[in-house]
Amino acid sequence: MRNKTLLDFTLDELKDAMAAWGEPGYRAKQVWRGMYHDLTVSPEGLTTLPKGLRARLETLGTMSTLSVVSQAVSKSRDTRKFLFRLHDGNTIEVVLMFYEKRRSVCISTQVGCAMGCPFCATGMGGLVRNLTAGEIVAQVLFVARWLRDPEVDGPDASPVPRPTTLTHVVLMGMGEPLANYDNVWRAIRTLTSPEGFGMGARRITLSTVGLVPGIRRMAREPQQVNLAVSLHAPTDRLRNKLVPINRRYPLKKLMDAVREYIGTTHRRVTFEYALMRGINDSLEQADLLADLLSGVLAHVNLIPLNPVEGSPYQPTEQRKANAFLGRLRRHGISVTMRLRRGIGIDAGCGQLRRRTVGIG
Ligand code: SAH
Ligand code: SF4
């Protein structure tokens, strides 16, 4: 598959490219409507355009950059993982989760990740490369299309009885989104543009390991997507070990950037905290966490750790996890526990890794 894709273009860039052929501005809008509203996959499907123009568009790039290698569905059928091949042979994973009222897709922003968190499957292989904006957008479009026509992309029995729509996007798959800032934001602009995919920014959540300059930059973006910060430890000593980038951006700097972000955006920030047995799950650590977050407009999302092969970290027992949660509540912290999802198919967000080729 070619790597040039129309999904990389902003609307203005497409207008410029088509203006060079003497086409009026509304043609580019028709292309965008076709790609992002009608979810068309190839220029031939753009039936509002003259035939010659459709052929010409092909020279600018493809409308889909992903081919499905395999799919896996969880036993409870509420989680589906897609493994995609990119034009250069690299593979990425995308997870679709069904909730009572939501259909949420967890997408990847890089092939691999350079941050090296020792409990994370993605981090173990290091960074291969950034995804382009088009490759990021393509994941969302693919899943939106799949939800609209659930049976088209796989011979297996569909867990979706009828066509439906995507309601949320989370950037919590493979990679660190703020380490690929420009491509990620170009993708977010296309996804939220009313002329593009038209998703509300508040339905999009970006999860970061805590890259301070990126958080400050995000605060100034007009698209107010939700920010989640992967904390996992209440002290620098422990966080240096679990989240090595903490040596560069220690808690004080991170919390200052978060406070500044909240000051500018007036938006609540979510802190992710994966509970690891005997490592970060004591009541004293809950107290320290409450101290760290006191006075901050924060929500804590406790995540049951997905054990990863080759890593010594194990999930906290349910009873202890509940006690940790109760302790935070007693300190007045807003906190919830994330459901265990997709464990059997290695499809917990943050559990994504290329070794799963072939599953499904
Ligand atoms: N790089 C970004 C986003 C991708 S990881 C980040 O770190 O925030 C998405 C989330 O999954 C992060 O909160 C990450 O800490 C978490 N995660 C990674 N490995 C995990 C595991 N084995 N079990 C549970 N959560 C994990
Ligand atoms: Fe990268 Fe996030 Fe995994 Fe850390 S947890 S290695 S930042 S993907």
Side-chain angles (χ1 to χ4, degrees):
M1 204 175 280
R2 288 185 301 155
N3 65 351
K4 264 175 60 186
T5 167
L6 287 167
L7 305 175
D8 269 324
F9 287 67
T10 64
L11 184 55
D12 283 339
E13 287 168 352
L14 188 61
K15 276 183 192 160
D16 288 348
M18 294 176 79
W21 305 334
E23 294 293 338
Y26 70 85
R27 287 291 189 209
K29 279 197 184 171
Q30 285 177 324
V31 175
W32 263 44
R33 176 163 291 279
M35 291 197 298
Y36 299 118
H37 291 206
D38 307 337
L39 305 177
T40 307
V41 258
S42 75
E44 298 105 75
L46 299 172
T47 47
T48 51
L49 263 55
K51 269 215 164 112
L53 186 55
R54 287 184 234 164
R56 210 159 186 191
L57 265 178
E58 304 246 21
T59 64
L60 289 182
T62 60
M63 281 164 58
S64 165
T65 59
L66 307 172
S67 48
V68 190
V69 179
S70 62
Q71 297 181 38
V73 182
S74 67
K75 259 205 189 118
S76 50
R77 315 224 97 207
D78 55 11
T79 306
R80 170 178 285 255
K81 182 173 70 173
F82 299 91
L83 179 74
F84 293 115
R85 181 171 291 114
L86 304 168
H87 71 88
D88 61 0
N90 278 308
T91 52
I92 52 166
E93 292 176 341
V94 170
V95 181
L96 171 60
M97 289 159 286
F98 297 89
Y99 301 90
E100 211 172 300
K101 290 191 180 135
R102 296 177 165 207
R103 273 84 47 201
S104 179
V105 66
C106 175
I107 61 171
S108 295
T109 56
Q110 299 182 308
V111 181
C113 181
M115 299 297 141
C117 308
F119 56 88
C120 170
T122 304
M124 286 179 177
L127 176 68
V128 179
R129 71 167 172 90
N130 281 333
L131 294 184
T132 64
E135 287 168 334
I136 296 168
V137 169
Q139 299 168 55
V140 177
L141 293 184
F142 184 96
V143 171
R145 220 174 268 133
W146 188 89
L147 283 168
R148 187 187 61 182
D149 309 311
E151 51 302 297
V152 294
D153 290 308
D156 58 326
S158 165
V160 191
R162 60 199 129 71
T164 178
T165 54
L166 191 61
T167 63
H168 292 78
V169 172
V170 296
L171 288 81
M172 285 192 192
M174 294 166 69
E176 166 51 40
L178 296 185
N180 183 16
Y181 194 98
D182 292 335
N183 291 336
V184 163
W185 277 87
R186 180 179 271 257
I188 288 174
R189 284 190 283 271
T190 299
L191 292 174
T192 54
S193 160
E195 282 148 326
F197 190 65
M199 176 167 268
R202 285 161 193 227
R203 293 171 177 267
I204 300 178
T205 299
L206 184 154
S207 171
T208 177
V209 71
L211 301 189
V212 163
I215 293 173
R216 293 191 193 277
R217 214 172 143 189
M218 249 183 98
R220 299 190 299 269
E221 296 287 352
Q223 291 79 18
Q224 293 287 298
V225 305
N226 301 302
L227 172 64
V229 175
S230 298
L231 200 59
H232 305 315
T235 60
D236 279 322
R237 204 182 137 94
L238 180 60
R239 197 163 188 266
N240 284 343
K241 210 164 119 193
L242 297 180
V243 183
I245 199 69
N246 191 69
R247 293 171 196 273
R248 180 118 134 248
Y249 303 115
L251 285 171
K252 161 111 183 47
K253 283 197 174 145
L254 174 61
M255 293 309 295
D256 281 350
V258 168
R259 269 188 280 267
E260 190 184 306
Y261 175 92
I262 295 169
T264 311
T265 62
H266 308 291
R267 301 193 43 80
R268 185 169 84 157
V269 171
T270 295
F271 291 88
E272 290 156 286
Y273 196 101
L275 286 167
M276 307 178 207
R277 190 184 304 169
I279 303 286
N280 64 357
D281 59 357
S282 73
L283 294 179
E284 294 70 34
Q285 283 161 322
D287 294 340
L288 289 169
L289 180 58
D291 280 350
L292 186 72
L293 300 181
S294 100
V296 178
L297 187 58
H299 177 80
V300 174
N301 196 4
L302 297 176
I303 311 174
L305 186 80
N306 294 326
V308 167
E309 223 180 279
S311 141
Y313 300 103
Q314 291 300 317
T316 294
E317 310 83 305
Q318 194 59 49
R319 189 182 50 79
K320 276 201 91 176
N322 292 342
F324 194 93
L325 179 141
R327 187 74 157 227
L328 286 177
R329 281 226 168 115
R330 233 163 295 139
H331 282 291
I333 303 277
S334 155
V335 53
T336 45
M337 183 110 55
R338 190 191 282 174
L339 299 169
R340 278 183 93 86
R341 276 292 184 122
I343 302 291
I345 54 168
D346 280 353
C349 267
Q351 163 90 350
L352 306 180
R353 190 182 191 182
R354 292 178 304 143
R355 74 172 166 77
T356 46
V357 173
I359 279 191

